[in-house]
Amino acid sequence: MTDRPTVLFVCVHNAGRSQMAAGYLRHLAGDRIDVLSAGSEPADQVNRVAVAAMAEEGIDIAAAAPRVLTDDDVLESDIVVTMGCGDACRFYPGKRYEDWVLDDPAGRDLEAVRPIRDEIRRRVEHLIGELLP
């Protein structure tokens, strides 16, 4: 890894899980970890319920914009965290991959998204503990 590790969060639409994970990592690690987020089939906008769930935590992801996953994203990342993107996620030897099996917040109300958000936070905190001992 480089002096400052880079983590890429990838899900299909880059509108919910990956955006929440990126928001948490930026918030909790500050500038000690570089954060990327992308999707194999990005949506037009970030899921409004995910935005509301993160706002409850004091984290604003409203300005985030879903974007398409590129080879460069993967190549510049030390860790690639996938969340349900299946075969669409690019694989490169020598990269650390983690697959976080999480429910998709799409179409769910805020009450149903909160446990997903909380599990993402737990996993992000664990990841930070590994990267920044």
Side-chain angles (χ1 to χ4, degrees):
M1 280 192 267
T2 61
D3 289 348
R4 192 162 72 185
T6 300
V7 176
L8 168 63
F9 294 105
V10 184
C11 66
V12 176
H13 300 296
N14 190 220
R17 295 166 290 185
S18 58
Q19 292 288 357
M20 289 190 287
Y24 270 129
L25 188 55
R26 285 185 187 104
H27 179 76
L28 297 171
D31 63 359
R32 299 175 296 163
I33 298 174
D34 290 329
V35 183
L36 300 172
S37 179
S40 55
E41 298 175 26
D44 294 333
Q45 63 185 16
V46 174
N47 181 316
R48 291 180 301 182
V49 179
V51 170
M54 293 301 286
E56 290 182 342
E57 296 282 288
I59 301 170
D60 184 3
I61 62 169
R67 62 181 198 81
V68 71
L69 175 65
T70 67
D71 289 336
D72 287 343
D73 291 332
V74 179
L75 290 172
E76 75 178 79
S77 299
D78 298 295
I79 299 172
V80 179
V81 178
T82 59
M83 303 176 196
C85 62
D87 293 338
C89 293
R90 294 153 172 85
F91 178 82
Y92 288 92
K95 297 290 176 184
R96 175 178 161 188
Y97 287 84
E98 290 189 15
D99 185 38
W100 292 1
V101 179
L102 298 160
D103 290 335
D104 188 344
R108 297 174 188 257
D109 64 16
L110 185 56
E111 187 171 326
V113 171
R114 286 182 183 124
I116 300 168
R117 175 202 63 200
D118 295 346
E119 178 60 17
I120 289 171
R121 181 180 184 127
R122 186 191 69 73
R123 292 179 190 210
V124 166
E125 287 173 339
H126 180 79
L127 185 60
I128 291 169
E130 290 179 346
L131 295 174
L132 303 174

